[in-house]
Amino acid sequence: MSYKKSILITGGAGFIGSHLVRLMVNKYPDYRIVNLDKLTYAGNLENLTDVEGESNYAFVKADICDRNAIEEVFTNYDITDVIHLAAESHVDRSIEGPMEFVMTNVVGTVNLLQIAKEHWTSKEHVFHHVSTDEVYGSLGAEGLFEETTAYDPRSPYSSSKASSDHFVMAFYHTYGLPIKMSNCSNNYGSHQFPEKLIPLMINNIVHKKPLPIYGKGDNIRDWLWVVDHASAIDRIFHEGRIGESYNVGGLNEWTNIELVKFLCKSMDEKLGREIGESEKLITFVKDRAGHDMRYAIDATKIEKELKWKPSVTFEEGLDKTVNWYLENTEWIEAVTSGAYKDYYEGMYQNR
Ligand code: NAD
Ligand code: TYD
């Protein structure tokens, strides 16, 4: 069969990537979706068992830094477009070891850009780079990140993502590569690796383990359901303007402590525990080094220009998320056995 587009999605076995692959495979049967992933600790093909048999889906295990492997994929699958999500994504890990973040997030991104530039001779292509609002730095009590906000990354993770964003824009301005970019706020939802705040807390509440809150818990994050992020990427990929970046978020700010208390209450109800029981597990621990105080997105551009908005409230999205983790105990057990135990002890034991 000849496909209308042959889209390379990098990092498709990860949290956000697997939601995007699922959406694209099911919504666009006339597209071929090629998921390329190195399957690091964060990549898991179990996230995609429902689409692996679809005829318009293919999986390739490869590192985005590997020039020969990427070349081969572009040639073998006649890649027309790229949606690039592969990355090292966890701030705490970037503090422990920044070099892996430079390799994948910066070198890997430039490798992909370079190969796309060499293969694509017309403008009928899109290279969509998926990035984060963390590139804008840390807000005080007031204000929102706009697309024009100056970059001010402060963690090794956000510095590597900011660098990759700059290279993406450089390939547009210098070589005319048809790029699009999105910078999204914190995601939550099913299949998220339990190193990130929400799945880590859900898992610890289930097992009645301490709930480690960094510092005073007054840092603020702006949370978006992952399915809504995937729908925003779909919209930008198809309808966004070449050379533009779009902020994605849902005006949904929570302090960490209020969010965890809300989660405790909701899970006490679901687990038939006395209300207040899980909250007693909250433990304040040593703060993260260079901990950004507040992230908050102004999503006016994507809302007005592309008519996108989130489909659920935070309460609805969190409810679906908690239900998924409670119903998928095998998934969580599989990802928290082995290396996760060492990671958890290293990060939290003497904190
Ligand atoms: P994740 O850590 O869950 O998944 C990353 C995926 O990339 C994994 O499947 C991993 O195996 C793969 N990968 C890592 N290194 C690779 C390499 N060298 N070659 C090929 N594959 C590799 O991350 P996520 O949370 O799904 O984030 C996806 C993207 O979205 C990232 O670019 C991230 O910066 C961005 N983002 C994430 C959030 C969030 O809240 N999670 C918010 C905004 C933007
Ligand atoms: P995280 O999910 O790591 O996302 P990011 O750092 O990229 O925003 O963390 C979200 C917030 O929760 C952040 O302010 C750090 C805080 N946090 C804790 O208090 N305890 C934890 O165990 C974790 C993982 C995060």
Coordinates of all heavy atoms in Angstrom, one line a residue, residues 148-229:
T148 N 7.0 34.2 23.3 CA 8.1 35.2 23.1 C 8.9 35.4 24.4 O 9.8 36.2 24.4 CB 7.4 36.6 22.8 OG1 6.4 36.8 23.7 CG2 6.8 36.6 21.4
T149 N 8.6 34.7 25.4 CA 9.3 34.7 26.7 C 10.8 34.3 26.4 O 11.0 33.3 25.7 CB 8.7 33.8 27.8 OG1 7.4 34.3 28.0 CG2 9.5 33.9 29.1
A150 N 11.7 35.0 26.9 CA 13.2 34.7 26.6 C 13.5 33.3 27.3 O 13.0 33.1 28.4 CB 14.1 35.8 27.2
Y151 N 14.3 32.5 26.6 CA 14.7 31.3 27.2 C 15.6 31.5 28.4 O 16.5 32.4 28.3 CB 15.5 30.4 26.2 CG 14.6 29.6 25.3 CD1 13.3 30.0 25.0 CD2 15.0 28.3 24.8 CE1 12.4 29.2 24.2 CE2 14.2 27.6 24.0 CZ 12.9 28.0 23.7 OH 12.1 27.2 22.9
D152 N 15.4 30.8 29.5 CA 16.3 30.9 30.7 C 16.4 29.6 31.4 O 16.0 29.5 32.6 CB 15.6 32.0 31.6 CG 16.4 32.4 32.8 OD1 17.6 32.1 32.8 OD2 15.8 32.9 33.8
P153 N 16.8 28.5 30.8 CA 16.8 27.2 31.4 C 17.8 27.2 32.6 O 18.8 27.8 32.6 CB 17.3 26.3 30.3 CG 18.2 27.2 29.4 CD 17.5 28.5 29.5
R154 N 17.4 26.4 33.6 CA 18.2 26.4 34.8 C 18.6 25.0 35.3 O 19.5 24.9 36.1 CB 17.4 27.1 35.9 CG 17.1 28.5 35.7 CD 15.8 29.0 36.3 NE 15.7 28.7 37.7 CZ 15.9 29.6 38.6 NH1 16.2 30.9 38.3 NH2 15.9 29.3 39.9
S155 N 18.0 23.9 34.8 CA 18.4 22.6 35.2 C 19.2 22.0 34.0 O 19.0 22.5 32.8 CB 17.2 21.7 35.5 OG 16.5 21.3 34.3
P156 N 20.0 21.0 34.2 CA 20.7 20.3 33.0 C 19.6 19.8 32.0 O 19.8 19.9 30.8 CB 21.4 19.2 33.7 CG 21.7 19.7 35.1 CD 20.5 20.4 35.5
Y157 N 18.5 19.3 32.5 CA 17.4 18.8 31.6 C 17.0 20.0 30.7 O 17.0 19.9 29.5 CB 16.3 18.2 32.3 CG 15.0 18.1 31.5 CD1 14.9 17.2 30.4 CD2 13.9 18.8 31.8 CE1 13.8 17.1 29.7 CE2 12.7 18.7 31.1 CZ 12.7 17.8 30.0 OH 11.5 17.7 29.2
S158 N 16.5 21.1 31.4 CA 15.9 22.2 30.6 C 17.0 22.8 29.7 O 16.7 23.3 28.6 CB 15.2 23.2 31.4 OG 16.1 23.7 32.4
S159 N 18.2 22.8 30.1 CA 19.3 23.4 29.3 C 19.5 22.6 28.0 O 19.7 23.1 26.9 CB 20.6 23.4 30.1 OG 20.5 24.2 31.2
S160 N 19.4 21.2 28.2 CA 19.6 20.4 27.0 C 18.4 20.6 26.0 O 18.6 20.6 24.8 CB 19.8 18.9 27.4 OG 18.6 18.4 28.0
K161 N 17.2 20.7 26.6 CA 16.0 20.9 25.7 C 16.1 22.3 25.1 O 15.7 22.4 23.9 CB 14.7 20.8 26.5 CG 14.4 19.4 27.0 CD 14.2 18.3 25.9 CE 12.9 18.6 25.2 NZ 12.6 17.4 24.2
A162 N 16.5 23.3 25.8 CA 16.6 24.6 25.2 C 17.6 24.6 24.1 O 17.4 25.2 23.0 CB 17.1 25.6 26.3
S163 N 18.7 23.9 24.3 CA 19.7 23.8 23.2 C 19.1 23.1 22.0 O 19.3 23.6 20.9 CB 20.9 23.0 23.8 OG 21.9 22.8 22.8
S164 N 18.4 22.0 22.2 CA 17.8 21.3 21.1 C 16.8 22.3 20.3 O 16.8 22.3 19.1 CB 17.1 20.0 21.5 OG 16.0 20.2 22.3
D165 N 16.0 23.0 21.1 CA 15.1 24.0 20.5 C 15.8 25.0 19.6 O 15.4 25.3 18.5 CB 14.3 24.8 21.6 CG 13.3 23.9 22.4 OD1 13.4 22.7 22.3 OD2 12.5 24.5 23.1
H166 N 17.0 25.5 20.1 CA 17.7 26.5 19.3 C 18.2 25.8 18.0 O 18.2 26.5 17.0 CB 18.9 27.0 20.2 CG 18.5 27.9 21.3 ND1 17.5 28.9 21.1 CD2 18.9 28.0 22.6 CE1 17.3 29.6 22.2 NE2 18.1 29.0 23.2
F167 N 18.7 24.6 18.1 CA 19.2 23.9 16.9 C 18.0 23.7 15.9 O 18.2 23.9 14.7 CB 19.8 22.6 17.2 CG 21.3 22.7 17.5 CD1 21.8 22.6 18.8 CD2 22.2 23.0 16.5 CE1 23.1 22.8 19.1 CE2 23.6 23.1 16.7 CZ 24.0 23.0 18.0
V168 N 16.8 23.4 16.4 CA 15.7 23.2 15.5 C 15.4 24.6 14.8 O 15.2 24.6 13.5 CB 14.4 22.8 16.3 CG1 13.2 22.8 15.5 CG2 14.7 21.3 16.8
M169 N 15.4 25.6 15.5 CA 15.1 27.0 14.9 C 16.3 27.3 14.0 O 16.0 28.0 12.9 CB 15.0 28.0 16.0 CG 13.6 28.0 16.6 SD 12.3 28.3 15.4 CE 10.8 28.1 16.3
A170 N 17.5 27.0 14.3 CA 18.6 27.3 13.5 C 18.5 26.5 12.1 O 18.8 27.1 11.1 CB 19.9 26.9 14.1
F171 N 18.0 25.3 12.1 CA 17.9 24.6 10.9 C 16.7 25.2 10.0 O 16.8 25.1 8.8 CB 17.6 23.1 11.1 CG 18.8 22.3 11.2 CD1 19.8 22.4 12.2 CD2 19.1 21.3 10.2 CE1 20.9 21.7 12.3 CE2 20.3 20.6 10.2 CZ 21.2 20.8 11.2
Y172 N 15.8 25.8 10.7 CA 14.7 26.5 9.9 C 15.3 27.8 9.3 O 15.2 28.0 8.1 CB 13.6 26.9 10.8 CG 12.6 27.8 10.2 CD1 11.8 27.5 9.1 CD2 12.4 29.1 10.8 CE1 10.9 28.3 8.5 CE2 11.5 30.0 10.2 CZ 10.8 29.6 9.1 OH 9.9 30.5 8.5
H173 N 16.0 28.6 10.1 CA 16.5 29.9 9.6 C 17.6 29.7 8.6 O 17.7 30.5 7.6 CB 16.9 30.8 10.8 CG 15.7 31.3 11.6 ND1 14.8 32.2 11.1 CD2 15.3 31.0 12.8 CE1 13.9 32.4 12.0 NE2 14.1 31.7 13.1
T174 N 18.5 28.8 8.9 CA 19.7 28.7 8.1 C 19.5 27.9 6.8 O 20.0 28.2 5.8 CB 20.9 28.0 8.9 OG1 20.9 28.7 10.2 CG2 22.2 28.1 8.2
Y175 N 18.8 26.7 7.0 CA 18.7 25.8 5.8 C 17.3 25.7 5.3 O 17.0 25.0 4.3 CB 19.1 24.4 6.2 CG 20.4 24.3 6.9 CD1 20.5 23.9 8.3 CD2 21.6 24.5 6.2 CE1 21.8 23.8 8.9 CE2 22.9 24.4 6.8 CZ 22.9 24.1 8.2 OH 24.2 24.0 8.8
G176 N 16.3 26.4 5.9 CA 14.9 26.4 5.4 C 14.2 25.1 5.7 O 13.2 24.7 5.1
L177 N 14.7 24.3 6.7 CA 14.1 23.0 7.1 C 12.7 23.3 7.6 O 12.5 24.2 8.5 CB 14.9 22.2 8.1 CG 14.4 20.8 8.3 CD1 14.8 19.9 7.2 CD2 14.9 20.3 9.7
P178 N 11.6 22.7 7.1 CA 10.2 23.0 7.5 C 9.9 22.5 8.9 O 9.5 21.3 9.1 CB 9.3 22.4 6.5 CG 10.2 21.4 5.7 CD 11.6 21.7 6.0
I179 N 10.2 23.3 9.9 CA 10.0 22.8 11.3 C 8.8 23.4 11.9 O 8.3 24.4 11.5 CB 11.3 23.1 12.2 CG1 11.3 24.7 12.4 CG2 12.5 22.6 11.6 CD1 10.7 25.2 13.7
K180 N 8.3 22.7 13.0 CA 7.3 23.2 13.9 C 7.7 22.8 15.3 O 8.4 21.8 15.4 CB 5.9 22.7 13.6 CG 5.4 23.0 12.2 CD 4.0 22.4 11.9 CE 3.6 22.7 10.5 NZ 2.2 22.2 10.2
M181 N 7.3 23.6 16.3 CA 7.7 23.2 17.6 C 6.6 23.5 18.6 O 5.8 24.3 18.4 CB 8.9 24.1 18.0 CG 9.6 23.7 19.2 SD 11.3 24.3 19.2 CE 11.1 25.9 19.8
S182 N 6.6 22.6 19.7 CA 5.6 22.9 20.7 C 6.3 22.8 22.1 O 7.2 22.0 22.3 CB 4.4 21.9 20.7 OG 4.9 20.6 20.5
N183 N 5.9 23.7 23.0 CA 6.5 23.7 24.4 C 5.3 23.5 25.3 O 4.5 24.4 25.5 CB 7.2 25.0 24.6 CG 8.4 25.2 23.7 OD1 8.2 25.6 22.6 ND2 9.6 24.9 24.2
C184 N 5.3 22.3 26.0 CA 4.1 22.0 26.8 C 4.5 22.0 28.3 O 5.6 21.8 28.7 CB 3.7 20.6 26.4 SG 2.1 20.1 27.2
S185 N 3.4 22.2 29.1 CA 3.6 22.1 30.5 C 3.6 20.7 31.0 O 3.6 19.7 30.2 CB 2.4 22.8 31.2 OG 1.2 22.2 30.8
N186 N 3.7 20.4 32.3 CA 3.8 19.1 32.9 C 2.6 18.2 32.5 O 1.5 18.6 32.7 CB 3.8 19.2 34.4 CG 5.2 19.6 35.0 OD1 5.6 20.8 34.7 ND2 5.8 18.8 35.7
N187 N 2.9 17.0 32.0 CA 1.9 16.0 31.7 C 1.7 15.0 32.8 O 2.6 14.7 33.5 CB 2.3 15.2 30.4 CG 2.3 16.0 29.1 OD1 2.0 15.4 28.1 ND2 2.5 17.3 29.1
Y188 N 0.4 14.5 32.8 CA 0.1 13.4 33.7 C -0.8 12.5 32.9 O -1.5 12.9 32.0 CB -0.5 13.8 35.0 CG -1.9 14.4 34.8 CD1 -3.0 13.6 35.0 CD2 -2.1 15.7 34.4 CE1 -4.3 14.1 34.7 CE2 -3.3 16.2 34.1 CZ -4.4 15.4 34.3 OH -5.7 15.9 34.0
G189 N -0.9 11.2 33.3 CA -1.8 10.3 32.7 C -1.3 8.8 32.8 O -0.3 8.6 33.5
S190 N -1.9 7.9 32.1 CA -1.6 6.5 32.1 C -0.2 6.3 31.5 O 0.3 7.1 30.7 CB -2.6 5.7 31.4 OG -2.5 5.9 30.0
H191 N 0.5 5.2 31.9 CA 1.8 4.8 31.3 C 2.9 5.8 31.6 O 4.0 5.7 31.0 CB 1.7 4.7 29.8 CG 0.7 3.7 29.3 ND1 -0.6 4.1 29.0 CD2 0.7 2.4 29.0 CE1 -1.3 3.1 28.6 NE2 -0.5 2.0 28.6
Q192 N 2.8 6.6 32.6 CA 3.9 7.5 33.0 C 4.9 6.8 34.0 O 4.4 6.2 35.0 CB 3.5 8.8 33.6 CG 4.6 9.8 33.8 CD 4.1 11.2 34.1 OE1 3.1 11.4 34.8 NE2 4.9 12.3 33.8
F193 N 6.2 6.8 33.7 CA 7.1 6.1 34.6 C 7.1 6.7 36.0 O 7.1 7.9 36.1 CB 8.5 6.2 33.9 CG 9.5 5.3 34.5 CD1 9.5 3.9 34.2 CD2 10.4 5.7 35.5 CE1 10.4 3.0 34.8 CE2 11.3 4.8 36.1 CZ 11.3 3.5 35.7
P194 N 7.0 5.9 37.0 CA 6.8 6.4 38.4 C 8.1 7.0 39.0 O 8.3 6.8 40.2 CB 6.4 5.1 39.1 CG 6.9 4.0 38.4 CD 7.0 4.4 36.9
E195 N 8.8 7.7 38.2 CA 9.9 8.6 38.8 C 9.3 10.0 38.9 O 9.8 10.9 39.6 CB 11.1 8.6 37.9 CG 10.8 9.1 36.5 CD 11.9 9.0 35.5 OE1 13.0 8.6 35.9 OE2 11.7 9.3 34.3
K196 N 8.3 10.3 38.1 CA 7.6 11.6 38.0 C 6.6 11.8 39.1 O 6.1 10.8 39.6 CB 7.0 11.9 36.7 CG 7.9 11.7 35.4 CD 8.8 12.9 35.2 CE 9.6 13.0 33.9 NZ 9.9 11.8 33.2
L197 N 6.3 13.0 39.5 CA 5.5 13.2 40.8 C 4.3 12.4 40.9 O 4.1 11.7 41.9 CB 5.2 14.7 40.9 CG 4.4 15.1 42.1 CD1 5.3 15.1 43.4 CD2 3.7 16.5 42.0
I198 N 3.4 12.5 39.9 CA 2.0 11.9 40.1 C 2.1 10.4 40.1 O 1.6 9.8 41.1 CB 1.0 12.5 39.1 CG1 0.8 14.0 39.4 CG2 -0.3 11.7 39.0 CD1 -0.2 14.7 38.5
P199 N 2.7 9.7 39.2 CA 2.7 8.2 39.3 C 3.5 7.7 40.5 O 3.2 6.7 41.1 CB 3.3 7.8 38.0 CG 4.0 8.9 37.4 CD 3.3 10.2 37.9
L200 N 4.6 8.5 40.9 CA 5.3 8.1 42.1 C 4.4 8.1 43.3 O 4.4 7.2 44.1 CB 6.6 9.0 42.2 CG 7.6 8.6 43.3 CD1 9.0 8.9 42.9 CD2 7.3 9.3 44.6
M201 N 3.7 9.2 43.4 CA 2.8 9.4 44.6 C 1.7 8.3 44.6 O 1.4 7.7 45.6 CB 2.2 10.8 44.7 CG 3.2 11.9 44.9 SD 4.1 11.7 46.5 CE 5.5 12.8 46.3
I202 N 1.1 8.1 43.4 CA 0.0 7.1 43.3 C 0.6 5.7 43.8 O 0.0 5.0 44.6 CB -0.5 6.9 41.9 CG1 -1.3 8.2 41.5 CG2 -1.5 5.7 41.7 CD1 -1.7 8.3 40.0
N203 N 1.7 5.3 43.3 CA 2.3 4.0 43.6 C 2.6 4.0 45.1 O 2.4 2.9 45.8 CB 3.6 3.8 42.8 CG 4.2 2.5 42.9 OD1 3.4 1.5 43.0 ND2 5.5 2.4 43.1
N204 N 3.2 5.1 45.7 CA 3.5 5.0 47.1 C 2.3 5.0 48.0 O 2.2 4.4 49.0 CB 4.4 6.2 47.5 CG 5.8 6.0 47.0 OD1 6.1 5.2 46.2 ND2 6.8 6.9 47.4
I205 N 1.2 5.7 47.6 CA 0.0 5.7 48.3 C -0.6 4.3 48.4 O -0.9 3.7 49.4 CB -1.1 6.7 47.8 CG1 -0.7 8.1 48.0 CG2 -2.5 6.4 48.4 CD1 -1.5 9.2 47.2
V206 N -0.6 3.6 47.2 CA -1.1 2.2 47.2 C -0.3 1.3 48.2 O -0.9 0.6 48.9 CB -0.9 1.6 45.7 CG1 -1.2 0.1 45.7 CG2 -1.9 2.3 44.8
H207 N 1.0 1.5 48.2 CA 1.8 0.7 49.1 C 2.1 1.2 50.5 O 2.9 0.7 51.2 CB 3.2 0.4 48.4 CG 3.0 -0.5 47.1 ND1 3.0 0.0 45.9 CD2 2.7 -1.8 47.0 CE1 2.8 -0.9 45.0 NE2 2.6 -2.1 45.7
K208 N 1.4 2.3 50.8 CA 1.5 3.0 52.1 C 3.0 3.3 52.4 O 3.4 3.2 53.5 CB 0.9 2.1 53.2 CG -0.6 1.8 53.0 CD -1.2 1.2 54.2 CE -2.7 0.9 53.9 NZ -3.4 0.3 54.9
K209 N 3.7 3.8 51.4 CA 5.1 4.2 51.6 C 5.1 5.8 51.8 O 4.2 6.5 51.3 CB 5.9 3.9 50.3 CG 6.3 2.4 50.3 CD 6.9 2.0 49.0 CE 8.2 2.7 48.7 NZ 8.8 2.3 47.4
P210 N 6.2 6.3 52.4 CA 6.2 7.8 52.5 C 6.1 8.5 51.2 O 6.5 8.0 50.2 CB 7.7 8.0 53.1 CG 8.1 6.7 53.7 CD 7.3 5.6 52.9
L211 N 5.5 9.7 51.3 CA 5.3 10.5 50.1 C 6.2 11.7 50.1 O 6.0 12.7 50.8 CB 3.8 11.0 50.0 CG 2.7 10.0 50.2 CD1 1.3 10.6 50.2 CD2 2.8 8.9 49.1
P212 N 7.4 11.6 49.4 CA 8.4 12.5 49.5 C 8.2 13.9 48.8 O 8.1 13.9 47.6 CB 9.6 11.8 48.9 CG 9.0 10.9 47.9 CD 7.7 10.5 48.4
I213 N 7.9 14.9 49.6 CA 7.7 16.2 49.0 C 9.0 17.0 49.1 O 9.5 17.2 50.3 CB 6.6 17.0 49.8 CG1 5.3 16.2 49.8 CG2 6.4 18.4 49.2 CD1 4.4 16.3 48.6
Y214 N 9.5 17.5 48.0 CA 10.7 18.3 48.0 C 10.5 19.7 48.6 O 9.5 20.4 48.3 CB 11.3 18.5 46.6 CG 11.6 17.3 45.8 CD1 11.8 17.4 44.4 CD2 11.8 16.0 46.4 CE1 12.2 16.2 43.7 CE2 12.1 14.9 45.7 CZ 12.3 15.0 44.3 OH 12.6 13.9 43.6
G215 N 11.4 20.1 49.6 CA 11.3 21.4 50.2 C 10.0 21.5 50.9 O 9.6 20.6 51.7
K216 N 9.3 22.7 50.7 CA 8.1 23.0 51.5 C 6.9 22.5 50.7 O 5.7 22.7 51.1 CB 7.9 24.5 51.8 CG 9.0 25.0 52.7 CD 8.6 26.4 53.2 CE 9.8 27.1 53.8 NZ 10.2 28.3 53.1
G217 N 7.1 22.1 49.4 CA 5.9 21.7 48.6 C 5.2 22.9 48.0 O 4.1 22.7 47.5
D218 N 5.8 24.1 48.1 CA 5.1 25.2 47.5 C 5.5 25.6 46.1 O 5.0 26.5 45.5 CB 5.3 26.5 48.4 CG 6.8 26.8 48.7 OD1 7.6 26.0 48.2 OD2 7.0 27.7 49.5
N219 N 6.3 24.7 45.4 CA 6.5 24.9 44.0 C 5.3 24.6 43.2 O 4.5 23.7 43.6 CB 7.7 24.0 43.6 CG 8.9 24.2 44.4 OD1 8.9 23.9 45.6 ND2 10.0 24.7 43.7
I220 N 5.1 25.4 42.1 CA 3.9 25.2 41.3 C 4.2 24.7 39.9 O 5.1 25.1 39.3 CB 3.2 26.6 41.2 CG1 2.7 27.1 42.6 CG2 2.1 26.6 40.2 CD1 2.2 28.5 42.6
R221 N 3.3 23.7 39.5 CA 3.4 23.2 38.2 C 2.0 23.3 37.6 O 1.0 23.3 38.3 CB 3.8 21.7 38.2 CG 5.2 21.5 38.7 CD 6.3 22.0 37.8 NE 7.7 21.8 38.2 CZ 8.4 22.7 38.9 NH1 7.8 23.9 39.3 NH2 9.7 22.5 39.2
D222 N 2.0 23.3 36.2 CA 0.7 23.6 35.4 C 0.5 22.2 34.7 O 1.2 21.9 33.8 CB 1.1 24.7 34.5 CG -0.1 25.2 33.6 OD1 -1.2 24.5 33.7 OD2 0.0 26.1 32.9
W223 N -0.5 21.5 35.1 CA -0.7 20.1 34.7 C -1.7 19.9 33.5 O -2.7 20.5 33.5 CB -1.2 19.2 35.9 CG -0.1 19.2 37.0 CD1 0.0 20.0 38.1 CD2 1.0 18.3 37.0 NE1 1.1 19.6 38.8 CE2 1.7 18.6 38.2 CE3 1.5 17.2 36.2 CZ2 2.9 17.9 38.6 CZ3 2.6 16.6 36.6 CH2 3.3 16.9 37.8
L224 N -1.3 19.1 32.6 CA -2.1 18.8 31.4 C -2.2 17.3 31.2 O -1.2 16.6 31.3 CB -1.5 19.4 30.2 CG -2.3 19.3 28.9 CD1 -3.6 20.1 28.9 CD2 -1.5 19.6 27.6
W225 N -3.4 16.8 30.9 CA -3.6 15.4 30.6 C -2.9 15.0 29.4 O -3.0 15.7 28.3 CB -5.1 15.1 30.5 CG -5.5 13.7 30.5 CD1 -4.9 12.7 31.3 CD2 -6.5 13.0 29.7 NE1 -5.6 11.5 31.0 CE2 -6.5 11.7 30.1 CE3 -7.4 13.5 28.8 CZ2 -7.4 10.8 29.5 CZ3 -8.3 12.6 28.2 CH2 -8.3 11.2 28.6
V226 N -2.2 13.9 29.4 CA -1.3 13.5 28.3 C -2.1 13.3 27.0 O -1.6 13.6 25.9 CB -0.5 12.2 28.6 CG1 -1.4 11.0 28.9 CG2 0.5 11.9 27.6
V227 N -3.3 12.9 27.0 CA -4.1 12.7 25.8 C -4.4 14.0 25.2 O -4.4 14.1 23.9 CB -5.4 11.9 26.2 CG1 -6.3 11.8 24.9 CG2 -5.1 10.5 26.8
D228 N -4.6 15.1 26.0 CA -4.8 16.4 25.4 C -3.5 16.9 24.8 O -3.5 17.7 23.8 CB -5.3 17.3 26.5 CG -6.8 17.1 26.8 OD1 -7.5 16.7 25.8 OD2 -7.2 17.2 28.0
H229 N -2.3 16.6 25.4 CA -1.1 17.0 24.8 C -0.9 16.3 23.4 O -0.6 16.9 22.4 CB 0.1 16.6 25.7 CG 1.5 17.1 25.2 ND1 2.6 16.6 25.7 CD2 1.8 18.0 24.2 CE1 3.7 17.2 25.0 NE2 3.2 18.0 24.1

